[in-house]
Amino acid sequence: MADKKAFVTGVTGQDGAYLSKLLLEKGYRVYGLLQRSTRYAFENLDYLGVTGDVDYVEGNMDDEASLINAIRRVHPDEVYNLAAQSFVGVSWDQARLTTEVNSLGVLNLLNAIKNFTPTTRFYQASTSEMFGNSADEQGIQTENTPFHPRSPYAISKLYAYWITINYKESFGMYCCNGILFNHESPIRGLEFVTRKITDAVVRIKLGMQDRLGLGNLDSCRDWGFAGDYVEAMYLMLQQDDPDNYLVSTGNTHSIADFCSAAFARVGIEDWEKHVFIDPAFKRPAELHRLRGHSERASEKLGWKPRVSFEELVNMMVDADLKRLSPAD
Ligand code: NDP
Ligand code: GDP
């Protein structure tokens, strides 16, 4: 049988890079959607050493014709839709753009698949942000927890979640939602709190920066490693039937916990001295605590996270240390 073909949108992002590497290792031919830019963002793919192994197709989630062209050209066995305006913080200021890319972009892509390659399997990058502050009595989210999105980002992703289910139910397409909790890595965007912290911790350690301004230190996230989470995406598209799966570690830590662990990695114990509260980073509506129970992914996909919270923090700090330390 010829190699399988995967089409990955958001290929230049954190998850796009990890997923491309995984699929290439499995023998896939990987095609990536590249949005037009004066400076293409290949850093993440470079970091994982796979930039030259991916085939690129130019297009934009906002431009249905470009997605039709891409789908007709590639004829993929599997589509992983990772492209998004993915930063919650900016979604209040750019709510319309967030909606166009994250909601209508998914509709565009599903229509292209439905009309030209209806047997293509489809993965939608859904998010724990859709839960907002909903949880069960133990403070845990599952696939059955009611959604109550608390940002334009989360609302845009909820549309995408339901249109993905609707195309499965209406047209018999193989469509899955992965409801992924926060996942991080050395190539996480610098605007996200984990990477902002590890980058600043190293700069403070090396004398390049004095202090770190953060918003809410009390909110808690269920942080996992992106490299583990892309395996769950792949597994979702290898089943007999499509389904929706929550993907999480089951552990939760506060932003303060993350700071404490990251500063400790470089030998700084009195981390509070280096951190100040900057109201500019507080959000109009906060999501206080996420902790997911990924039993379905464990039972049906045989998926389990490998990297612990401590290992993740250390991996990210060590990578920033390597990146920022002066060459000998
Ligand atoms: P990133 O922000 O790192 O990557 C986003 C990608 O989308 C980039 O490749 C970007 O391209 C691309 N993109 C943005 N707008 C468009 C557009 N209009 N047309 C085409 N491409 C576009 O995100 P992550 O890798 O962290 O996340 C992957 C997906 O998973 C996203 O959908 C995110 O919302 C979702 N998710 C992420 C979680 C996480 O913790 N990381 C948790 C749950 C869900 P460019 O490089 O050119 O800007
Ligand atoms: P999110 O869960 O997708 O919004 O991921 P982020 O990494 O952007 O934010 C995680 C949590 O960190 C949220 O509760 C933020 O309010 C909190 N936070 C506190 N300070 C900051 C900050 O300076 N930047 C970001 N991005 N988040 C912060």
Side-chain angles (χ1 to χ4, degrees), residues 30-269:
V30 177
Y31 296 81
L33 181 75
L34 207 53
Q35 64 169 331
R36 161 88 191 120
S37 169
T38 47
R39 300 182 72 189
Y40 290 103
F42 288 117
E43 297 86 359
N44 295 335
L45 292 156
D46 285 346
Y47 183 86
L48 296 179
V50 295
T51 309
D53 300 324
V54 174
D55 290 293
Y56 300 98
V57 187
E58 289 217 31
N60 197 296
M61 296 303 293
D62 220 9
D63 183 337
E64 188 174 6
S66 73
L67 298 178
I68 291 172
N69 287 340
I71 290 295
R72 291 183 75 176
R73 191 179 131 196
V74 175
H75 238 270
D77 297 285
E78 296 168 11
V79 169
Y80 295 86
N81 183 38
L82 310 182
Q85 189 305 89
S86 67
F87 185 40
V88 172
V90 112
S91 73
W92 281 275
D93 294 329
Q94 298 185 33
R96 189 189 172 107
L97 173 86
T98 302
T99 307
E100 281 169 358
V101 176
N102 299 5
S103 305
L104 297 182
V106 185
L107 180 64
N108 289 338
L109 186 53
L110 282 166
N111 276 331
I113 296 169
K114 170 169 108 37
N115 290 325
F116 296 100
T117 62
T119 57
T120 295
R121 296 185 168 207
F122 180 77
Y123 172 85
Q124 169 57 23
S126 288
T127 167
S128 53
E129 291 287 326
M130 299 186 306
F131 294 122
N133 290 322
S134 293
D136 69 12
E137 282 166 5
Q138 281 81 45
I140 289 174
Q141 290 88 20
T142 71
E143 286 90 358
N144 299 322
T145 302
F147 298 122
H148 186 137
R150 305 246 308 157
S151 63
Y153 168 80
I155 294 165
S156 72
K157 285 285 189 174
L158 196 56
Y159 173 87
Y161 171 86
W162 281 115
I163 199 71
T164 296
I165 291 175
N166 183 257
Y167 271 50
K168 174 178 75 170
E169 293 178 352
S170 304
F171 307 117
M173 289 165 59
Y174 189 110
C175 297
C176 298
N177 279 290
I179 307 174
L180 270 55
F181 284 56
N182 298 51
H183 46 279
E184 320 293 313
S185 74
I187 54 172
R188 179 65 143 151
L190 280 162
E191 67 274 34
F192 295 91
V193 77
T194 54
R195 185 75 196 295
K196 179 176 171 180
I197 293 170
T198 61
D199 178 77
V201 160
V202 169
R203 286 176 190 275
I204 289 167
K205 176 70 180 174
L206 297 177
M208 299 160 72
Q209 182 175 329
D210 290 331
R211 296 198 308 153
L212 165 63
L214 293 172
N216 179 10
L217 297 184
D218 298 326
S219 60
C220 294
R221 291 291 181 272
D222 179 333
W223 281 298
F225 171 51
D228 289 344
Y229 284 35
V230 297
E231 288 182 17
M233 298 178 188
Y234 161 75
L235 289 169
M236 285 179 217
L237 296 199
Q238 315 310 316
Q239 306 306 305
D240 290 338
D241 298 306
D243 205 345
N244 306 311
Y245 297 88
L246 188 149
V247 177
S248 63
T249 70
N251 298 311
T252 192
H253 293 88
S254 67
I255 312 302
D257 293 338
F258 196 101
C259 285
S260 169
F263 276 101
R265 181 65 174 176
V266 298
I268 299 174
E269 300 300 335

